């Protein structure tokens, strides 16, 4: 039930594709995955790749600091008013899945204050393999793992690996040093995910975030259609 | 009206943002005032009879239909710490979203329109209770219970306190919770004749000071 067509004031609910004024809201993409897998580095690289063609903003969900937001500010990937940090009370998965209200406020405030926006990236605090984003918060989600966390992670599966709209296996440059078998990771991911896409990337070497950026552009095209 | 709506509204999993707040417990743990189930109980008792009583009376008055704008101003006046006022408004805004999705009502819409960045959480709670068909006592119970359940849950995470001990604390406080809720409703009824000055103005100075101290930490687990 959408009361907003008859009443004024901010929207009652969250997942509506339109803002209270009737315009289409920004596409929201979540990035989740274990601690240190490269979520913030991927967000930073995506901002650099897309900021000249799109109006962008970022929400971070640190577990107990503002490190991710501060890293993005320090790297100057976006102007400061386009980066918001949400505090998660020791439970990052709760803030992106079970009780998304603080994150929804953050994305809505960004649209109000720096909009119109095409895309908002929401980074989850590093968590475990079961952490996924609510559909009420994001339109699509990327799960970022890395080769150094063990090459058996795709085989172990879990909701993030199995159901994310895009699985990113990051830090492929480290594979030789940690003895990770990329072919095996690819085969296991394929077995878990069937037709869902998987990208192997290293942000330390060309072409860096190119494949993920292309995937994001594809989602945006579908969203705007 | 459905009495069971109270269970929905009071459920700790009601998605209204409470999980990210410790109700002052994080500051109290760091300061060494909460170290065990016994000191958690002392802390919760203090909070119940101060912040809990005020929140209960505000919520009950809002549930009785007292003008939310006046109640919100009364809540500001009873909350010296700017950090706590900010937290109460953020939580009010988050509760507003969950309440409007759960119990669509013109009164909630009007409140959201008037306070787009959030009214004090107990005021929103009272209007939400009204929208759910609940009464002032229900609203007072919700607010008073939240004033102790939040710190208890947070302390389980902060101190790795045995969760059974923390739940035992809440159970032991139940008779006092009854009395606080009764007092809150009585005060709220007086507001109908005497105005918002009839609301209790109990406050815990250490809670207020602790909130300001906590808000300045660069590293913390909870938002307040
Ligand atoms: N070698 C290598 N290091 C990388 C790559 N991507 C990220 N890193 C490094 O990995 C470390 C963690 O990266 P972050 O982007 O902070 O990881 P995160 O997933 O955001 O971490 P949390 O938010 O703490 O969970 C940093 O030191 C990055 O520079 C990569 O492709 N190769
Ligand atoms: Mg990060």
């Amino acid at each position: 039930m959408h009361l907003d067509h008859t009443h004024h004031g901010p929207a009652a609910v969250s997942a509506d594709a339109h803002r209270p004024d009737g315009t289409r809201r920004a596409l929201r993409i979540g990035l989740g995955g274990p601690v240190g897998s490269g979520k913030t580095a991927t967000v930073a690289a995506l901002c650099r790749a897309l900021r000249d063609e799109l109006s962008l903003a970022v929400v971070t969900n640190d577990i107990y600091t503002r490190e991710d937001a501060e890293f993005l500010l320090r790297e100057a990937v976006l102007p400061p008013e386009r980066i918001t940090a949400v505090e998660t009370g020791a439970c990052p998965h709760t803030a992106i899945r079970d009780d998304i209200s603080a994150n929804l406020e953050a994305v809505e405030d960004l649209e109000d204050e720096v909009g119109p926006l095409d895309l908002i990236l929401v980074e989850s605090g590093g968590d475990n393999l079961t952490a996924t984003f609510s559909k009420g918060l994001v339109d699509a989600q990327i799960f970022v793992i890395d080769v150094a966390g063990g090459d058996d992670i795709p085989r172990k599966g879990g909701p993030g690996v199995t159901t994310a709209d895009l699985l990113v296996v990051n830090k492929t440059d480290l594979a030789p040093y940690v003895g990770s078998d990329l072919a095996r990771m690819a085969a296991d991911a394929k077995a878990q995910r069937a037709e869902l896409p998987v990208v192997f990337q290293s942000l330390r070497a060309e072409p860096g975030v190119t494949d993920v950026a292309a995937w994001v552009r594809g989602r945006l095209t579908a969203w705007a259609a | 009206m459905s009495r069971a709506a109270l269970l929905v509204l009071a459920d700790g999993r009601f998605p209204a943002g409470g999980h990210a707040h410790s109700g002052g417990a994080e500051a109290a743990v760091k300061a060494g005032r909460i170290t065990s189930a016994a000191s958690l109980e002392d802390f919760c008792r203090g909070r119940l009879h101060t912040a809990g009583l005020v929140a209960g009376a505000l919520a009950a008055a809002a549930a009785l239909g007292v003008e939310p704008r006046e109640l919100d101003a009364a809540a500001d006046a009873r909350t010296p710490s700017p950090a706590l006022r900010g937290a109460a408004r953020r939580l009010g805004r988050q509760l507003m979203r969950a309440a409007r999705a759960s119990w669509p009502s013109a009164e909630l819409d009007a409140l959201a329109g008037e306070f787009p960045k959030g009214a004090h959480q107990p005021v929103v709670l009272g209007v939400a209770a009204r929208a759910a068909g609940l009464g002032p006592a229900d609203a007072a119970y919700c607010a008073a219970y939240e004033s102790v359940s939040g710190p208890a849950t947070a302390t389980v995470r902060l101190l790795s306190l045995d969760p059974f001990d923390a739940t035992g604390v809440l159970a032991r406080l139940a008779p006092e919770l009854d009395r606080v809720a009764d007092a809150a409703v009585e005060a709220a009824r007086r507001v109908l004749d005497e105005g918002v000055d009839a609301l209790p103005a109990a406050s815990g100075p250490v809670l207020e000071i602790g909130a300001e101290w906590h808000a300045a930490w660069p590293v913390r687990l909870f938002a307040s």
Side-chain angles (χ1 to χ4, degrees):
Chain A
M1 178 163 163
H2 301 293
L3 293 170
D4 304 292
H5 301 306
T6 49
H7 295 278
H8 293 291
V13 286
S14 49
D16 298 14
H18 292 90
R19 308 186 59 225
D21 64 6
T23 56
R24 181 167 277 261
R25 66 163 170 77
L27 177 71
R28 303 174 193 150
I29 294 183
L31 291 99
V35 178
S37 61
K39 298 178 291 297
T40 306
T42 301
V43 167
L46 281 173
C47 289
R48 290 194 188 97
L50 299 170
R51 67 189 172 194
D52 293 334
E53 57 192 273
L54 298 172
S55 177
L56 276 175
V58 173
V59 176
T60 63
N61 283 256
D62 280 319
I63 307 181
Y64 52 82
T65 64
R66 295 175 43 87
E67 296 247 346
D68 284 351
E70 273 157 19
F71 175 84
L72 296 172
L73 290 169
R74 219 168 35 243
E75 295 286 302
V77 295
L78 288 179
E81 64 276 13
R82 288 175 179 258
I83 301 170
T84 298
V86 166
E87 289 179 292
T88 60
C91 249
H93 54 268
T94 305
I96 61 162
R97 186 186 58 206
D98 311 293
D99 183 349
I100 56 178
S101 48
N103 271 295
L104 283 171
E105 252 121 62
V107 296
E108 289 172 4
D109 284 352
L110 280 167
E111 288 206 84
D112 287 345
E113 285 154 27
V114 299
L117 293 169
D118 302 307
L119 174 66
I120 302 178
L121 299 172
V122 183
E123 181 188 341
S124 164
D127 205 331
N128 59 45
L129 296 174
T130 65
T132 51
F133 285 84
S134 163
K135 290 188 171 67
L137 176 60
V138 301
D139 304 295
Q141 49 194 307
I142 302 175
F143 201 71
V144 183
I145 60 174
D146 68 23
V147 303
D151 62 4
D152 51 353
I153 292 206
R155 180 178 53 74
K156 288 182 187 161
V161 166
T162 313
T163 65
D165 299 290
L166 178 67
L167 177 67
V168 174
V169 182
N170 192 33
K171 308 189 191 179
T172 51
D173 53 298
L174 297 181
Y177 307 106
V178 296
S180 282
D181 180 344
L182 295 182
R184 180 182 147 194
M185 289 182 91
D188 289 343
K190 174 81 189 155
Q192 291 283 358
R193 294 173 53 78
E195 297 310 313
L196 288 170
V198 182
V199 165
F200 283 73
Q201 77 174 10
S202 165
L203 296 174
R204 291 285 158 87
E206 289 302 319
V209 83
T210 305
D211 288 349
V212 178
W215 179 85
V216 169
R217 283 192 198 92
R219 299 298 300 215
L220 265 164
T221 310
W223 176 250
Chain B
M1 102 144 217
S2 158
R3 195 77 208 283
L6 177 57
L7 299 177
V8 179
L9 186 59
D11 190 332
R13 281 164 300 188
F14 193 68
H19 70 94
H21 294 257
S22 78
E26 186 166 30
V29 164
K30 181 102 154 230
R33 287 191 295 274
I34 301 179
T35 55
S36 61
S39 45
L40 171 66
E41 184 165 337
D42 292 343
F43 176 89
C44 287
R45 179 170 290 110
R47 194 160 194 263
L48 173 64
H49 288 280
T50 54
L53 173 66
V54 174
L58 285 164
L64 283 169
V66 176
E67 176 56 48
R69 186 207 303 270
E70 283 180 39
L71 291 172
D72 189 74
D76 259 348
R78 284 159 178 75
T79 314
S81 153
L84 282 185
R85 287 201 292 264
R89 287 187 186 284
R90 282 199 300 283
L91 284 169
R93 183 178 173 195
Q94 289 175 257
L95 174 59
M96 175 66 77
R97 180 190 302 277
R100 289 174 80 198
S102 309
W103 300 286
S105 97
E107 284 184 3
L108 283 171
D109 289 349
L111 187 60
E114 193 171 351
F115 292 95
K117 300 285 173 193
H120 275 261
Q121 193 266 6
V123 180
V124 180
L125 181 62
V127 179
R130 225 170 127 78
L134 297 166
D138 301 316
Y141 265 100
C142 267
Y145 181 64
E146 272 176 11
S147 78
V148 292
S149 63
T153 316
T155 302
V156 170
R157 294 191 203 160
L158 288 162
L159 286 181
S160 304
L161 192 71
D162 184 331
F164 300 113
D165 289 341
T167 302
V169 166
L170 294 176
R172 277 194 298 283
L173 286 170
E176 278 176 72
L177 241 146
D178 288 335
R179 290 199 291 279
V180 167
D182 286 347
V185 173
E186 207 184 294
R189 291 200 189 285
R190 286 191 12 234
V191 171
L192 293 175
D193 300 325
E194 300 167 32
V196 293
D197 286 352
L199 289 166
S203 108
V206 180
L207 277 176
E208 305 279 336
I209 294 165
E212 289 299 308
W213 178 51
H214 180 267
W217 298 356
V219 175
R220 55 181 184 236
L221 278 177
F222 290 89
S224 80

